[in-house]
Amino acid sequence: ATPRSTARQLVREALERYGLAAEEGTWGEYVLCDVVGRPGGPGGAWQVEHLRPVGDGERPLVLQDVWKPKTGCSRRFEIRRRQEVERVCGGEDAETPGERPPP
């Protein structure tokens, strides 16, 4: 990855590297996510505090330089199925995944 790499390019390269992209159409089923959280869940599991799908044309390494997570949190980029991310983030407050804002 370089600062010029787009999220779409990184997803495509990762899927190819790990043999998960059988055909070109498969790449669109996945999205790169910017995930902020901290370890400390059951068994030391990662606790997600914020999840945001990165736009296909966004440059993740530039994002990483421009915005830092709050103290005590870490950022990682994850490749997730687009359908799952849309279900989790659809209509929800992006700051608190899993909870709906009051009407």
Side-chain angles (χ1 to χ4, degrees):
T2 70
R4 296 182 62 155
S5 300
T6 65
R8 182 176 180 91
Q9 289 170 327
L10 295 176
V11 168
R12 180 179 175 177
E13 288 176 23
L15 293 176
E16 287 175 349
R17 177 171 290 175
Y18 295 103
L20 299 173
E23 54 191 56
E24 188 168 325
T26 306
W27 303 321
E29 294 176 20
Y30 294 88
V31 63
L32 187 68
C33 293
D34 186 0
V35 183
V36 174
R38 65 182 81 210
W46 179 262
Q47 291 181 297
V48 174
E49 292 194 11
H50 175 78
L51 180 141
R52 182 186 75 85
V54 178
D56 287 342
E58 288 186 79
R59 299 183 184 333
L61 293 183
V62 172
L63 288 174
Q64 193 171 359
D65 285 341
V66 174
W67 183 82
K68 305 289 184 201
K70 67 183 179 181
T71 303
C73 288
S74 298
R75 161 191 271 140
R76 66 186 190 184
F77 290 99
E78 298 178 355
I79 296 174
R80 295 185 177 206
R81 289 194 179 275
R82 189 176 298 272
Q83 188 175 24
E84 170 197 336
V85 172
E86 289 171 355
R87 185 174 55 246
V88 170
C89 294
E92 295 180 357
D93 178 4
E95 293 297 319
T96 52
E99 297 179 15
R100 289 196 168 276

